[in-house]
Amino acid sequence: MTEQRKVLVTQRFFDPESLAYLKANGCEVCIASLADGQGDGDLSEDRLAELLAEADGWIVGHAWINAALLARLPRLQVIARRGVGYERVDVDAVQAAGKVATIAVGGNDASVADHAIAMMLALGRLGEAKARMVRGDWAISLGRDLYGKTVGVVGIGRIGRGVVKRLAGFDAQVLAYSPQPDWSYGRESGVRYVDLNTLLAESDYVTLHAPLQDDTRLLIDDVALSRMKPTAFLINTARGGLVDDRALLQALRDGVIAGAGLDVFLSETDPLYRATTDALLALPNVVATPHSGASTHEGLQRTNLIAAQCVVAVLNGDTPPAPCVIADGRGHFSTEE
């Protein structure tokens, strides 16, 4: 009988179907016990090394993965992110260690696109209405339609295109910014590619769907915010590092823009911004969620299963779907004596 492979899951909400898939493919699964409010990104290197000591596969959320940790895990073969961002994964270190790292491409695109639209509607129509009603203030306040508005989409990958599809139902005019425009997609979808400054100046809603990398870090700063309409809204369901939160806080206080919908914050990776996050949350023109745009029952089931399939593929000596692979170091080591 083939020896069972051991897989550690350090994420909550790992559904029974994905668990059954791993077990049916000869995997013994351990789901790490995390304290309330704790994520795997909060675990120390020592604790991760302890949990993963006998693991062949790891389904991970937001833990930092670097050369020092990998050096302590000679048995580990595959690291599967239940998500698509991988700025916390040192892909060069994974490659050098002879391991495989994957992401769950396509699993949560629809969930995040839905969330971005929900934030647009909430900013324009809901705001703090319920809080006012609880206080006994039932006075009618005027909202703003999404219908017929101009929406600027920064980053036009899978999620950005999902947002574009949903905006068609609102008869919105869509502007897009991308360093590498796909002109054929623009013609087919009716999206107009423009430079970032034009997008900021003309949009009623600006929604961010770009990856976090050197050329996008703090892309939306005080200068960028000053280019937006005073009636415009900013939505960020991508990565906190795309926006200078201190500049955003000042812009919202000064009426430079009308409001913001935020699912991600700089304080997630930099504790020095915690006070800024708290101040943003206190503003009546901010709609906020705790980095949960991808976290629906359906979205997590999809990403869980993709991560599980990637783990099984690697443990079977196969290759996961190419879009999911961010590092594959299995051919890194020389076979020479």
Side-chain angles (χ1 to χ4, degrees), residues 159-280:
I159 295 172
R161 293 186 185 200
V163 171
V164 171
K165 286 177 63 176
R166 287 154 176 77
L167 288 170
F170 294 91
D171 290 340
Q173 301 175 59
V174 181
L175 307 179
Y177 168 70
S178 172
Q180 297 177 314
D182 183 340
W183 301 111
S184 61
Y185 168 74
R187 289 189 296 271
E188 294 165 3
S189 64
V191 167
R192 179 163 66 96
Y193 282 98
V194 295
D195 61 79
L196 182 59
N197 289 343
T198 299
L199 182 147
L200 294 170
E202 296 185 8
S203 297
D204 300 298
Y205 295 82
V206 174
T207 182
L208 306 181
H209 302 287
L212 180 59
Q213 48 200 34
D214 289 344
D215 60 345
T216 61
R217 190 172 299 278
L218 302 185
L219 183 70
I220 305 300
D221 56 11
D222 56 343
V223 175
L225 290 163
S226 71
R227 294 190 172 111
M228 293 175 63
K229 298 178 182 180
T231 54
F233 299 104
L234 176 71
I235 296 91
N236 187 8
T237 57
R239 287 291 183 268
L242 297 175
V243 178
D244 182 338
D245 282 354
R246 288 173 179 151
L248 175 61
L249 175 62
Q250 195 61 48
L252 290 166
R253 285 174 168 170
D254 293 345
V256 174
I257 64 172
L262 305 173
D263 185 48
V264 289
F265 301 86
L266 266 172
S267 59
E268 293 177 66
T269 55
D270 187 346
L272 294 177
Y273 279 86
R274 184 66 211 192
T276 302
T277 296
D278 291 341
L280 285 166

Side-chain angles (χ1 to χ4, degrees), residues 65-68 70-71 79 89-99 327 329 332:
I65 298 163
N66 54 37
L70 295 175
I79 302 132
V89 180
D90 185 336
V91 294
D92 292 334
V94 173
Q95 190 84 15
K99 305 181 191 300
H332 175 76

Side-chain angles (χ1 to χ4, degrees), residues 81 137-138 206 229 240 268 310 319:
R81 264 230 68 221
D137 181 1
W138 281 54
V206 174
K229 298 178 182 180
E268 293 177 66
C310 288
T319 300

Side-chain angles (χ1 to χ4, degrees), residues 4-5 7-9 14 16-30 59 304-305 307-312 315:
Q4 280 199 321
R5 291 82 64 89
V7 176
L8 177 72
V9 179
F14 198 74
E17 291 79 5
S18 300
L19 181 61
Y21 174 85
L22 286 169
K23 290 181 176 179
N25 282 275
C27 296
E28 177 185 338
V29 183
C30 175
I59 295 177
N304 283 340
L305 184 57
Q309 290 169 337
C310 288
V311 166
V312 168
L315 296 184

Side-chain angles (χ1 to χ4, degrees), residues 267-322:
S267 59
E268 293 177 66
T269 55
D270 187 346
L272 294 177
Y273 279 86
R274 184 66 211 192
T276 302
T277 296
D278 291 341
L280 285 166
L281 295 178
L283 294 178
N285 54 345
V286 169
V287 173
T289 47
H291 202 150
S292 59
S295 298
T296 64
H297 290 285
E298 300 83 358
L300 291 181
Q301 286 172 353
R302 291 189 293 268
T303 52
N304 283 340
L305 184 57
I306 293 169
Q309 290 169 337
C310 288
V311 166
V312 168
V314 173
L315 296 184
N316 285 345
D318 299 325
T319 300

